[in-house]
Amino acid sequence: MRTFDTAPAPHLPPRRSVRGTMGLVLLALVPGVLAHGWFFGPGIFVQILLAAAFAMSFEAAMLKLRGKPVRPFLTDLSAPLTAVLFALCLPPLAPWWLAAIGMLAAIVFAKHLFGGLGHNLFNPAMVGLAVVLLAFPRVFTQWLAPAGLDQAMGTPGLADTLVAVFTGQLPAPWGWDTLAQATPLDTVRTLGSQGATLAEIRDVPVFGDFGGRGWEWVANFFALGGLFLLFKRVIPWQVPVATLGTVVLLALPFWLADPDLHPFPLQHVFSGGLVLAAFFIATDPVSGCTTPRGRLVFGAGVALLTLAIRRWGGFPDGIAFAVLLMNCAAPWIDAHTRPRILGEGRAPNGDAAP
């Protein structure tokens, strides 16, 4: 009797390793991080280092508790990427313990308690951000004014930043009342609730050509990094196109109907974290959708929820909550947007039948 080799059939190897993919995403974030540091001072670098240190510590501890090999998982760059995405959403002078709490929620609860990398239902960075945002909302009112505004004292340097982050105090002549400034989205919400028109609100120096001064340039550099990821085929095009396109399409008719009440569509795009989310957060292949049509629905959902939270929610920018809500819906969306296999029939309820 002839025997046959029982080894598995050959398959195409993956185009990139996890480490390679995460490394490319981190590389694509560099222009936006540098722009953030240019406009808002060195605090972003401090926040990234703090978040990365806590993320790696929690990652190593959980791997040991779960009996997993530490070195392969600790060097796959997934934890540092989570830390960077989380840190980019924090005010530059946020206290050090905020990174500790955020990474505890992201790495321990959102990642490892669900089974580790590849098994998490929710985007870990957004879980960490949502936890600290809900628990400590006052910290997120302490953003710095961007470079370029007329400020008598300028932006704090590295030494003053370290003192503020680790002690919560600002050395003289700084003071939280004079240093902290509302973000563009905060300004629109606050002045709009007082009856000011958008034309009047945009006269505030914090606004630039489209979005917030400084914020729009940071968004441009994140978009540049996102285009690099699209070129390298690291992320699918459907999610960023659907996210940004839906924001513009939904905001445009309202702006045309009443420009004094509704922001210009590009003001939505270039204020807050929408561009960062469209290219780097909503494109997470684990917690997002996997089918082409599902990705379009997912991106559109993130855009719709973000606009709804900005308009009626309790927070100026709803990116974290929009992404997490769509993470809940991702399995259902994938189930109803799965491509039909050749020869496959239709079930009575309209779904693809085996």
Side-chain angles (χ1 to χ4, degrees):
M1 178 182 293
R2 183 179 178 183
T3 59
F4 297 90
D5 187 3
T6 57
H11 298 281
L12 291 175
R15 296 182 61 203
R16 294 185 187 90
S17 64
V18 173
R19 178 185 175 89
T21 300
M22 299 295 176
L24 284 174
V25 177
L26 286 169
L27 179 63
L29 284 167
V30 169
V33 171
L34 294 177
H36 195 297
W38 175 267
F39 284 102
F40 297 100
I44 182 59
F45 307 114
V46 177
Q47 297 297 336
I48 288 175
L49 291 175
L50 280 172
F54 284 118
M56 297 293 280
S57 300
F58 289 132
E59 181 89 351
M62 290 304 297
L63 288 170
K64 288 185 177 180
L65 286 174
R66 297 177 57 214
K68 301 290 184 180
V70 174
R71 182 180 177 86
F73 291 101
L74 202 61
T75 58
D76 64 9
L77 300 182
S78 61
L81 178 58
T82 298
V84 173
L85 293 175
F86 171 82
L88 285 169
C89 302
L90 298 182
L93 301 184
W96 65 269
W97 45 262
L98 209 68
I101 296 173
M103 289 300 94
L104 175 67
I107 301 298
V108 175
F109 290 94
K111 182 178 179 181
H112 281 284
L113 293 189
F114 280 93
L117 182 64
H119 299 278
N120 50 287
L121 300 181
F122 301 96
N123 185 289
M126 293 301 97
V127 170
L129 178 61
V131 167
V132 298
L133 185 58
L134 290 170
F136 311 101
R138 186 176 180 276
V139 175
F140 289 84
T141 64
Q142 298 174 338
W143 279 91
L144 302 181
L149 291 182
D150 294 330
Q151 299 179 89
M153 294 181 292
T155 303
L158 180 59
D160 293 330
T161 296
L162 292 173
V163 171
V165 169
F166 286 101
T167 69
Q169 303 296 321
L170 286 171
W174 308 104
W176 287 112
D177 293 338
T178 58
L179 188 63
Q181 185 145 343
T183 65
L185 293 174
D186 274 319
T187 303
V188 170
R189 175 183 291 267
T190 302
L191 297 182
S193 65
Q194 297 172 1
T197 66
L198 278 172
E200 296 170 337
I201 294 173
R202 286 194 59 83
D203 287 336
V204 177
V206 74
F207 289 96
D209 296 327
F210 296 110
R213 185 187 299 272
W215 297 87
E216 57 191 7
W217 280 105
V218 174
N220 281 329
F221 281 101
F222 281 133
L224 184 64
L227 292 175
F228 167 76
L229 294 181
L230 288 173
F231 173 74
K232 299 294 288 185
R233 297 185 178 181
V234 175
I235 61 174
W237 63 267
Q238 292 94 341
V239 175
V241 168
T243 302
L244 300 178
T246 301
V247 166
V248 173
L249 289 176
L250 290 179
L252 183 59
F254 290 96
W255 175 75
L256 291 174
D258 192 347
D260 283 336
L261 181 61
H262 302 286
F264 183 57
L266 292 183
Q267 183 174 331
H268 275 296
V269 172
F270 290 103
S271 296
L274 189 64
V275 174
L276 176 67
F279 287 104
F280 294 94
I281 297 172
T283 52
D284 178 17
V286 177
S287 58
C289 289
T290 58
T291 65
R293 286 187 299 166
R295 291 166 181 161
L296 290 171
V297 175
F298 187 90
V302 169
L304 178 62
L305 289 170
T306 298
L307 291 176
I309 294 171
R310 287 182 177 183
R311 179 66 179 86
W312 296 292
F315 296 92
D317 199 353
I319 290 295
F321 304 107
V323 171
L324 293 175
L325 287 171
M326 291 307 298
N327 289 160
C328 296
W332 183 88
I333 295 172
D334 271 341
H336 289 79
T337 56
R338 182 170 63 88
R340 185 178 178 184
I341 301 172
L342 183 63
E344 185 179 50
R346 286 281 178 182
N349 62 359
D351 295 338

